[in-house]
């Protein structure tokens, strides 16, 4: 179990190996920049799956094409709706 983003990063750095291809974040991770936290800004083979009820979801997690998958239980919202904001020019924050 982890309490915050710094503990996620600490645990990841402790257990990082080339064999890990998928990480599941349960009830954590949605509000922080997972690409930055896991060092995936320039790509990589790791894929993070986020199931988290915390909001707001960080824009980098929403707009990640491959590395981050966010599950959302709001059935009235689909991927083509205007609910998902633009990624803008600066979504690299913490």
């Amino acid at each position: 179990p982890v309490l915050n983003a710094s503990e996620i990063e600490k645990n990841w750095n402790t257990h990082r190996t080339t064999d890990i291809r998928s990480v599941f974040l349960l009830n954590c991770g949605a509000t922080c920049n997972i690409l930055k936290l896991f060092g995936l800004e320039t790509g990589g083979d790791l894929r993070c799956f986020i199931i988290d009820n915390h909001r707001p979801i960080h824009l980098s997690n929403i707009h990640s094409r491959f590395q981050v998958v966010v599950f959302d239980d709001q059935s009235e919202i689909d991927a083509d709706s205007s609910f998902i904001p633009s990624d803008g020019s600066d979504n690299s924050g913490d």
Side-chain angles (χ1 to χ4, degrees):
V2 295
L3 296 175
N4 54 38
S6 63
E7 286 191 18
I8 294 171
E9 185 175 25
K10 177 183 166 188
N11 279 301
W12 170 244
N13 289 331
T14 301
H15 300 291
R16 180 187 305 233
T17 69
T18 57
D19 295 339
I20 296 175
R21 296 286 182 242
S22 299
V23 172
F24 289 83
L25 300 167
L26 302 175
N27 211 32
C28 65
T31 61
C32 57
N33 184 342
I34 293 299
L35 292 175
K36 185 175 181 182
L37 195 67
F38 284 83
L40 298 171
E41 293 110 327
T42 59
D45 293 332
L46 181 69
R47 195 164 195 190
C48 297
F49 298 89
I50 301 173
I51 302 170
D52 191 355
N53 67 338
H54 295 99
R55 299 293 182 266
I57 299 172
H58 196 283
L59 289 178
S60 289
N61 298 336
I62 293 173
H63 292 286
S64 172
R65 297 285 185 230
F66 176 75
Q67 286 98 352
V68 180
V69 177
V70 179
F71 292 90
D72 189 1
D73 65 354
Q74 295 181 351
S75 61
E76 70 274 4
I77 298 171
D78 61 47
D80 297 325
S81 74
S82 61
F83 171 77
I84 299 175
S86 167
D87 60 353
S89 60
D90 181 23
N91 63 356
S92 61
D94 295 328

